[in-house]
């Protein structure tokens, strides 16, 4: 049996422990929702204030040059690139995940339409995050393609000669299940399809090697494990081989002036900028990019301590411990583990299901300052209690305490109180 003292000992021995000091965690809060909205880094308020007061307030329009604003999307993109196996110039921080997905997916469809016009099917998972499916469906309607939704296990058998693009989220937002990126990408390519990955629950959470897997396109989120703040710019990635091969002919559908090779030439003809820069559309949000930059820096701060590999080791230790303690200390309360036990198939979160009361249990935990979240089920999937583990700012004692609160909430029946059973707009 693991004890509270064991957990405290693990924290004392944890080489990543100092990284917690990079954040402004509210006192007494155990934050298990960094997979939805990361914690505010200590550096962010001053940096944002500096952008507003000095760079905008005093520098005014000169700051596009003097503060280097114009290059921030690529600079932050390159920093994110270090976390996802991108080469310099392959990733850009811009727009939202949904908008970036529209751009990369549309371009992947165009590439297939030129090379293999008979391939008119996008394959994705039924359990993918809804916005990904809506964007794919919208593009299919526009282009006369079909969106084929499958369960993960059906993937190998569904890749026929009609499939143009496989679009998957690497770590599932509901279950925390993780795909083998290299193997799935190889299967997609073997079947003649292009591979698009959504890294919303991967970037800053698990090691990712897009070039190692030889993927085609990827998008990901800035406000989850990258701690960029609410509505932070997302990112887009494209394998350099596409830009190298197609150059000027490679347009994304939102071909705005910021993606032009020479925006300030103001020419009437569009000519895409080299590399990933062409994935920008219009003027970029500098205040938000400054906050995202601070967030990405908190993840890069782990580089001297072993980087994503060290974060992954700790993340697995935290999620292993959470699973073990829930099974030891909350047994008999109807909770079942939804997230895969196998390390190779698990992201940085643990999801539990319960036939009744999942929403109310999460509310009762939040009232005790243990913040996780709830995702509703449907006819195929149960309601879920979702707990994200960000190794940058969570420790082993936090895991112990969160399970102890969960045990008390279940044992006392406290979750049955009416105030915990009223649903809010944002869950
Ligand atoms: C969080 C998330 C998104 C969010 O998209 P937005 O455009 O930022 O709202 C998209 N896809 C996945 C898989 C996500 O987990």
């Amino acid at each position: 049996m693991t004890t509270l003292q064991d957990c405290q000992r693990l924290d004392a021995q944890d080489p990543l422990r100092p990284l917690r000091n990079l954040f402004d965690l509210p006192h007494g809060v155990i934050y298990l929702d960094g997979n939805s909205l990361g914690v505010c880094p200590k550096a962010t308020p001053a940096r944002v204030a500096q952008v507003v007061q000095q760079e905008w307030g005093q520098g005014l329009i000169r700051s596009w040059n003097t503060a280097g604003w114009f290059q921030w999307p690529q600079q932050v993109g390159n920093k994110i690139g270090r976390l996802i196996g991108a080469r310099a110039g392959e990733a850009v921080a811009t727009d939202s995940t949904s908008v970036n997905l529209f751009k990369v997916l549309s371009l992947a469809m165009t590439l297939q339409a030129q090379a293999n016009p008979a391939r008119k099917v996008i394959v994705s998972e039924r359990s993918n995050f809804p916005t990904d499916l809506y964007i794919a469906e919208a593009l299919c309607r526009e282009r006369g393609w079909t969106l084929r939704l499958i369960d993960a296990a059906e993937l190998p058998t569904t890749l026929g000669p009609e499939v143009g693009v496989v679009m998957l989220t690497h770590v599932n937002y509901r279950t925390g299940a993780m795909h083998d990126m290299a193997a799935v990408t190889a299967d997609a390519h073997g079947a003649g399809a292009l591979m698009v990955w959504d890294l919303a629950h991967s970037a800053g959470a698990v090691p990712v090697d897009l070039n190692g897997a030889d993927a085609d396109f990827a998008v990901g989120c800035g406000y989850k494990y990258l701690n960029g703040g609410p509505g932070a710019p997302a990112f887009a990635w494209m394998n350099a081989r596409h830009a190298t091969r197609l150059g000027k002919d490679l347009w994304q559908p939102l071909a705005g002036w910021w993606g032009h090779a020479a925006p300030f030439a103001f020419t009437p003809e569009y000519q895409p900028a080299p590399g990933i820069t062409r994935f920008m559309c219009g003027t970029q949000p500098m205040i938000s990019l400054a906050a995202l930059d601070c967030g990405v820096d908190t993840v890069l701060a782990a580089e001297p301590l072993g980087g994503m590999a060290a974060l992954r080791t700790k993340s697995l230790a935290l999620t292993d411990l959470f699973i073990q303690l829930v099974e030891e200390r909350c047994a008999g309360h109807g909770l079942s583990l939804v997230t895969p036990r196998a390390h190779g198939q698990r992201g940085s979160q643990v999801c539990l299901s319960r036939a009744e009361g999942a929403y109310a249990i999460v509310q009762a935990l939040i009232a005790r300052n243990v913040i996780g979240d709830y995702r509703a089920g449907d006819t195929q999937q149960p309601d879920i209690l979702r707990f994200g583990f960000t190794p940058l700012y969570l420790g082993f004692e936090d895991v112990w305490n969160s399970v102890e609160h969960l045990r008390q909430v279940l044992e006392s029946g406290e979750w049955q109180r009416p105030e915990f059973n009223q649903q809010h707009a944002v869950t």
Side-chain angles (χ1 to χ4, degrees):
M1 283 283 212
T2 304
T3 64
L4 172 60
Q5 289 70 33
D6 295 331
C7 294
Q8 290 166 336
R9 231 183 336 267
L10 288 170
D11 281 334
Q13 295 161 356
D14 171 17
L16 300 178
R17 186 70 177 170
L19 297 173
R20 187 183 178 96
N21 295 326
L22 297 172
F23 295 92
D24 246 341
L25 276 160
H27 185 72
V29 164
I30 302 176
Y31 194 65
L32 305 178
D33 220 352
N35 52 332
S36 245
L37 176 63
V39 168
C40 183
K42 273 187 191 155
T44 305
R47 176 80 189 279
V48 168
Q50 192 215 340
V51 173
V52 173
Q53 291 166 354
Q54 298 303 316
E55 298 177 9
W56 176 22
Q58 302 302 309
L60 291 167
I61 201 161
R62 294 168 290 191
S63 289
W64 287 109
N65 293 310
T66 55
W69 285 352
F70 195 58
Q71 281 82 36
W72 285 4
Q74 291 93 335
Q75 282 168 4
V76 179
N78 282 338
K79 284 187 176 183
I80 295 170
R82 278 150 61 185
L83 304 172
I84 56 172
R87 299 181 202 97
E90 281 184 346
V92 68
T94 185
D95 295 336
S96 65
T97 306
S98 304
V99 173
N100 287 336
L101 188 64
F102 178 85
K103 291 181 285 187
V104 304
L105 190 56
S106 172
L107 187 48
M109 292 163 87
T110 301
L111 293 179
Q112 282 292 27
Q114 288 166 359
N116 307 290
R119 292 183 176 270
K120 290 184 135 188
V121 170
I122 297 176
V123 167
S124 193
E125 258 181 283
R126 194 167 287 115
S127 64
N128 201 343
F129 191 86
T131 203
D132 297 45
L133 301 182
Y134 306 157
I135 294 282
E137 181 67 34
L139 282 164
C140 284
R141 285 178 176 219
E142 196 179 297
R143 306 252 196 137
W145 283 46
T146 307
L147 176 61
R148 182 187 297 166
L149 298 184
I150 55 153
D151 296 328
E154 301 169 74
L155 199 57
T157 52
T158 199
L159 297 175
E162 69 291 354
V163 177
V165 180
V166 179
M167 175 197 81
L168 294 174
T169 296
H170 182 221
V171 175
N172 186 281
Y173 79 104
R174 282 185 101 252
T175 64
M178 182 169 75
H179 286 290
D180 180 336
M181 180 178 285
V184 173
T185 304
D187 284 350
H189 286 171
L194 291 172
M195 187 71 226
V196 176
W197 287 105
D198 188 329
L199 305 178
H201 290 270
S202 308
V206 298
V208 174
D209 189 357
L210 288 167
N211 276 306
D214 196 32
D216 295 287
F217 298 94
V219 298
C221 187
Y223 53 78
K224 293 173 179 163
Y225 291 94
L226 296 180
N227 308 311
F235 63 89
W237 172 87
M238 173 175 65
N239 193 314
R241 92 177 110 79
H242 293 304
T244 311
R245 193 161 59 85
L246 288 164
K248 284 192 299 188
D249 293 327
L250 190 68
W251 290 30
Q252 54 95 353
L254 302 178
W257 72 302
W258 270 58
H260 193 280
F264 287 90
F266 295 108
T267 61
E269 303 83 24
Y270 182 76
Q271 188 181 329
I276 195 70
T277 294
R278 76 191 67 196
F279 274 88
M280 282 189 288
C281 181
T283 307
Q284 300 296 304
M286 294 303 136
I287 302 168
S288 298
L289 277 165
L292 175 61
D293 191 34
C294 293
V296 173
D297 279 346
T298 62
V299 188
L300 293 178
E303 279 186 342
L305 304 168
M308 281 311 307
L311 288 170
R312 175 63 170 164
T313 302
K314 181 174 171 188
S315 155
L316 286 171
L318 292 171
T319 51
D320 275 345
L321 177 66
F322 184 80
I323 293 168
Q324 179 202 329
L325 290 177
V326 166
E327 289 179 341
E328 282 174 11
R329 299 173 60 77
C330 304
H333 286 294
L335 294 172
S336 350
L337 180 67
V338 174
T339 305
R341 260 174 228 277
H343 284 177
Q345 294 169 31
R346 189 195 309 162
S348 199
Q349 70 185 52
V350 177
C351 302
L352 305 171
S353 69
R354 194 171 189 276
E356 190 201 357
Y359 177 80
I361 294 165
V362 169
Q363 292 306 309
L365 285 171
I366 293 172
R368 288 165 169 260
N369 271 338
V370 178
I371 303 180
D373 64 22
Y374 157 85
R375 287 293 175 260
D378 53 29
T379 50
Q380 297 186 354
Q381 310 183 94
D383 290 348
I384 275 180
L385 299 82
R386 197 171 69 144
F387 303 100
F389 292 84
T390 304
L392 286 172
Y393 47 76
L394 283 172
F396 296 90
E397 187 176 350
D398 295 324
V399 173
W400 173 277
N401 288 333
S402 59
V403 175
E404 178 56 19
H405 281 291
L406 178 59
R407 190 187 69 77
Q408 290 178 16
V409 163
L410 290 165
E411 234 156 60
S412 65
E414 168 181 324
W415 60 273
Q416 288 165 338
R417 284 198 222 145
E419 71 261 35
F420 298 139
N421 287 274
Q422 285 162 5
Q423 203 130 332
H424 301 293
V426 174
T427 60

